[in-house]
Amino acid sequence: LNKTPQVQEIIRLYLSYLEKLESSPFPNSEEQELEFTDMLRTIVQDRTSIPMAIAKGVATLRDNRKEDLDIQRLQEMEKALYRFFNARTGLRLLTEHHILSCLKREKENEELRKIQSCVDHVS
């Protein structure tokens, strides 16, 4: 499965995500936090292409094999897919939580700026 073109493309995509994360500086200010969050947002925006690519990879594997896979090979593939999708789900949950928390903080900060502006205007 990991040799199919579709899964190879997923591997390249995840490597590009890791390179983005590694090259991103640790956020030390509100502005850097927003930049980091925007970078994460680009990673999680696509919700369907990776599962679809894996499905196509499995279909290609099934279509191109010369003999039936034995039960052990099928179980290994199922375990690998299970680990992949669990890890992917966990990473997406953490990433989306960060994005939503940042958006909430930004909204609260905007409200505080409005209040401060009103206070400043009255003073």
Side-chain angles (χ1 to χ4, degrees):
L1 182 62
N2 63 344
K3 298 197 186 312
T4 63
Q6 297 87 354
V7 174
Q8 287 293 312
E9 182 59 31
I10 294 168
I11 291 168
R12 284 189 292 277
L13 184 61
Y14 272 93
L15 286 174
S16 75
Y17 292 163
L18 284 173
E19 289 169 355
K20 276 185 181 181
L21 287 169
E22 285 181 338
S23 67
S24 177
F26 186 84
N28 289 315
S29 68
E30 189 174 324
E31 182 180 333
Q32 288 177 339
E33 182 73 30
L34 291 174
E35 289 172 7
F36 180 74
T37 302
D38 285 340
M39 186 264 307
L40 290 178
R41 193 176 294 126
T42 64
I43 291 174
V44 298
Q45 282 178 336
D46 181 9
R47 298 176 181 272
T48 59
S49 66
I50 291 174
M52 287 302 295
I54 290 178
K56 288 177 183 176
V58 169
T60 300
L61 183 67
R62 183 180 60 216
D63 293 343
N64 292 336
R65 71 175 187 263
K66 303 292 185 236
E67 70 280 337
D68 288 334
L69 295 174
D70 62 43
I71 191 74
Q72 182 180 353
R73 294 285 294 157
L74 288 171
Q75 287 175 339
E76 288 172 7
M77 191 179 343
E78 183 179 348
K79 285 179 185 177
L81 288 170
Y82 182 79
R83 284 191 311 270
F84 171 79
F85 280 111
N86 274 337
R88 182 175 187 272
T89 300
L91 287 171
R92 287 190 69 83
L93 287 172
L94 288 171
T95 305
E96 288 176 3
H97 174 74
H98 173 84
I99 291 168
L100 292 173
S101 295
C102 189
L103 292 173
K104 181 180 177 195
R105 269 194 319 273
E106 185 61 24
K107 183 179 177 183
E108 289 169 351
N109 287 342
E110 182 63 30
E111 289 173 7
L112 288 174
R113 283 190 285 272
K114 287 178 183 176
I115 293 170
Q116 184 64 45
S117 175
C118 289
V119 169
D120 290 345
H121 184 70
V122 171
S123 299

